[in-house]
Amino acid sequence: MGELVTVRVCEGISRGFAADARTRIAAVVSGADALVESLRIRIGTLGAAGSPGGAPGVPGPPGVLAQVTAEVDGRRIRVQEAAADLGEALDRLADGLRSRMTAVTAGWTPRPWPRRTRARGLSAAAEPMVPVRSVARLEVPCPPGPRRIVRRKRPQLVWCSPDAAARTMDAMDYDIHLFTDPATETDAVVYRVGPTGYRLARTVAAGPPTRPAVPLTLSPCGAPELSEEQAVARLTAAELPHLFFAQPGSGRGRVLYRRFDGGLGLIAAAS
């Protein structure tokens, strides 16, 4: 399996740690019954430009961000963990990968809400209507001045059921997942929130899906139409971890979210 594991260490991390990361993660894979076709690891310092969680102008590093993506039994999975040091980040990454591989191969079941923390007994924090990562966020210095979008993604959205979107969200370790709902032909999101742990929202309000397997709650309102500047202001003022909104004019769905480095990321549906 070693030859299928690739490791990328970003600025601020000694390349000597790549061998340690490869050994730890390869050990998880070699002890599993699942077919793992490829596995990629990225390790960087929080706050360093060029790292998985880095952004220009952020002093640091206050911690480590480690990420692994893999193809397991034909399904793509991802685990991302932040910690105060590399050893703790790799421990969490190995534990998370082991759990994710088991979940994918054993058949999907809803994740508990709130998610149990993996970080030294710290409890999960949650706002009333939005999910927050279960692991404690490190204190990452933010760039001076107004919050700004430091990364943009323009994926071609997958047309799938809310059930399938929720399972992808779980497999990829997301807190929110943007997709197109074929039943309504509108862009939509599923995201992690109580009381069931899964909520569905669409750009245009519509009724609940038919006989969902996922315990979804439904947002009764369509996504607000906002400019990027308005979305940034709303997310920042309300201290939200992410915000689902529609682009004025086109009505296409967008997600603004907070990154580990304190900057903002934007996912916008490709035209």
Side-chain angles (χ1 to χ4, degrees):
M1 180 63 203
E3 67 277 5
L4 299 180
V5 179
T6 60
V7 183
R8 176 187 171 191
V9 290
C10 302
E11 181 181 349
I13 296 290
S14 169
R15 297 192 177 276
F17 288 119
D20 185 23
R22 180 179 288 105
T23 298
R24 291 201 199 191
I25 299 303
V28 173
V29 174
S30 64
D33 295 329
L35 174 62
V36 180
E37 299 176 8
S38 65
L39 194 148
R40 297 177 297 280
I41 305 167
R42 294 181 68 200
I43 306 170
T45 54
L46 283 166
S51 74
V58 184
V64 174
L65 184 65
Q67 181 186 102
V68 58
T69 57
E71 295 285 340
V72 179
D73 283 352
R75 179 151 193 169
R76 188 165 179 256
I77 64 172
R78 186 193 76 140
V79 179
Q80 182 171 267
E81 296 288 353
D85 57 63
L86 184 66
E88 185 178 5
L90 290 181
D91 286 344
R92 291 185 184 178
L93 200 66
D95 289 343
L97 178 61
R98 188 178 293 108
S99 298
R100 194 65 37 79
M101 289 174 61
T102 299
V104 167
T105 56
W108 181 87
T109 56
R111 285 189 292 168
W113 182 265
R115 202 188 308 179
R116 289 186 295 272
T117 180
R118 296 185 291 272
R120 298 177 180 176
L122 295 174
S123 61
E127 296 294 333
M129 292 301 293
V130 290
V132 177
R133 289 184 180 274
S134 59
V135 295
R137 279 191 179 274
L138 298 176
E139 292 296 325
V140 181
C142 295
R147 297 292 177 265
R148 61 192 182 93
I149 297 171
V150 298
R151 186 175 185 188
R152 297 171 183 269
K153 303 176 184 179
R154 293 188 60 84
Q156 191 71 43
L157 298 190
V158 173
W159 285 57
C160 66
S161 68
D163 278 349
R167 295 179 189 192
T168 296
M169 177 177 67
D170 285 357
M172 296 301 293
D173 199 21
Y174 298 150
D175 286 329
I176 185 168
H177 181 50
L178 180 64
F179 67 104
T180 301
D181 178 12
T184 59
E185 298 187 357
T186 60
D187 293 339
V189 291
V190 288
Y191 58 98
R192 295 287 286 164
V193 71
T196 67
Y198 300 89
R199 191 165 178 86
L200 169 67
R202 303 184 179 99
T203 50
V204 178
T210 303
R211 295 188 297 275
V214 174
L216 290 166
T217 57
L218 179 66
S219 173
C221 304
E225 288 198 356
L226 301 171
S227 67
E228 288 185 9
E229 293 77 14
Q230 290 171 325
V232 169
R234 181 175 295 194
L235 179 141
T236 302
E239 298 184 350
L240 301 172
H242 52 67
L243 176 66
F244 174 50
F245 66 103
Q247 182 181 25
S250 72
R252 297 304 307 270
R254 293 184 159 197
V255 171
L256 185 69
Y257 64 95
R258 293 180 184 271
R259 290 160 49 89
F260 275 100
D261 58 21
L264 303 178
L266 178 68
I267 305 171
S271 300

